[in-house]
Amino acid sequence: MRGRRYAHRGAYGKKNMWIVGVLSAVGTLLAVTLILVSVGIALSGKVKHTKEGETLPSGETSGLPQELFGSPVQIQAPSIALGEPSAITEQCANAITAGHEAVTVNVTDREGYVLIRPSSKDSFGYVSGKAWDISPKSLVSRIKARSLYVSVCLSLRSPSESDPAARLMKQAYETAVIAELLEAGADEVVLLNDSMDEGRAEGLTELCKDVRRIREGKLGVALPASYLADETAAATVEQLLRGFDFGCVLTASDVGDDAYSYVVEHVRSTLYYVLRYHMRVALPYVSDEALADMQKALADEHIVNYQIVTYQ
């Protein structure tokens, strides 16, 4: 009896150990499952947040990290022409009435001469004779007073200067002007380029670094559509855009009679860059009717960010 009782206890103990082992395995499996489900939910929430919060054009196919090339704001910005303070205020009011929340103001002519009067003019004497007697601070504050996002554009002379001494002098002046605009409260400064090559790209990168040593702010670079259409430009473009917060496609100035076809002709060939690097399109001034055709063409190409750039 005694031996039989112990044998029964041994069998019962083994049975209990087997049950405990099964329960332990099931518990472990449930714990792992819960962890995986939690991770899945977290990742799902993260992806959902990215999709809901993104401002990139649909059709984006880039596998590169978004933070590598900045996060451009949504912007559909008409242009503000330089002029008397009252004229600038009136143009801002018209932009707001039309439903815009941002405007573009170009403070240089096509040759890169500054059309406003920054404080650095006293040090360099490098201002166009056509300049308006308005400082960067006065210009920007007048526009910001209407709660508009201010995108200031400049054409540059220094990056294409062949003489090293002259290039350094012009670069120092342009750096000072850009820094003063950012200090004045400009939301961004876009550097316009109607031509591009490897040497100019290096000059732009140097200038961007110089500005950042002086003043924090959002810097963009506008590259000509004709350059982006060249298949050999890829490496230079990527290296250049790594130094700036965002890029723009700068189209030619002569729109012609068909604004829709103009966008197709000048922008479609650049879509690889527009979608990969989340670039904006910088368009020349056109009538309201032609602008509507341009907007339709941009939408058909899945492009939502644009600004109008005019020269005086």
Side-chain angles (χ1 to χ4, degrees), residues 157-175 199-200 202-204 206-207 210:
R157 303 188 71 197
S158 63
S160 58
E161 177 60 61
S162 58
D163 180 75
R167 185 179 67 182
L168 285 174
M169 183 189 72
K170 292 177 181 179
Q171 183 172 310
Y173 176 72
E174 290 167 346
T175 297
R200 186 174 180 87
E202 291 177 359
L204 285 168
E206 290 177 8
L207 190 147
D210 288 344

Side-chain angles (χ1 to χ4, degrees), residues 211-292:
V211 173
R212 295 195 191 284
R213 291 189 186 101
I214 302 173
R215 185 70 54 190
E216 289 294 324
K218 191 181 290 293
L219 292 176
V221 59
L223 307 176
S226 58
Y227 177 73
L228 295 175
D230 188 338
E231 61 182 12
T232 64
T236 301
V237 171
E238 178 163 329
Q239 184 63 35
L240 181 60
L241 292 181
R242 286 175 185 273
F244 286 83
D245 294 294
F246 63 94
C248 300
V249 176
L250 184 65
T251 60
S253 58
D254 185 14
V255 177
D257 298 328
D258 190 343
Y260 188 99
S261 298
Y262 170 88
V263 172
V264 172
E265 178 183 353
H266 290 88
V267 176
R268 179 173 288 177
S269 61
T270 70
L271 282 180
Y272 168 81
Y273 294 103
V274 172
L275 299 180
R276 181 178 176 85
Y277 301 121
H278 326 302
M279 296 178 76
R280 184 188 305 168
V281 176
L283 300 165
Y285 176 80
V286 293
S287 65
D288 292 342
E289 182 179 353
L291 179 58

Side-chain angles (χ1 to χ4, degrees), residues 105-108 112-128 134-137 139-140 152-156 169-186 188-191 207 210-211 214-215 219:
V105 56
N106 188 1
V107 298
T108 52
Y113 286 102
V114 177
L115 298 175
I116 57 176
R117 295 197 174 275
S119 59
S120 51
K121 71 178 177 59
D122 296 328
S123 300
F124 293 88
Y126 182 33
V127 175
S128 169
I134 185 171
S135 68
K137 184 176 181 179
L139 174 64
V140 174
V152 181
C153 296
L154 298 95
S155 297
L156 301 176
M169 183 189 72
K170 292 177 181 179
Q171 183 172 310
Y173 176 72
E174 290 167 346
T175 297
V177 172
I178 295 167
E180 187 172 345
L181 285 163
L182 291 173
E183 184 179 11
E188 63 179 43
V189 174
V190 183
L191 309 185
L207 190 147
D210 288 344
V211 173
I214 302 173
R215 185 70 54 190
L219 292 176

Side-chain angles (χ1 to χ4, degrees), residues 29-50:
L29 181 60
L30 286 173
V32 172
T33 303
L34 286 172
I35 291 172
L36 291 175
V37 169
S38 299
V39 172
I41 292 173
L43 290 176
S44 174
K46 183 177 181 181
V47 171
K48 182 178 180 182
H49 173 73
T50 301

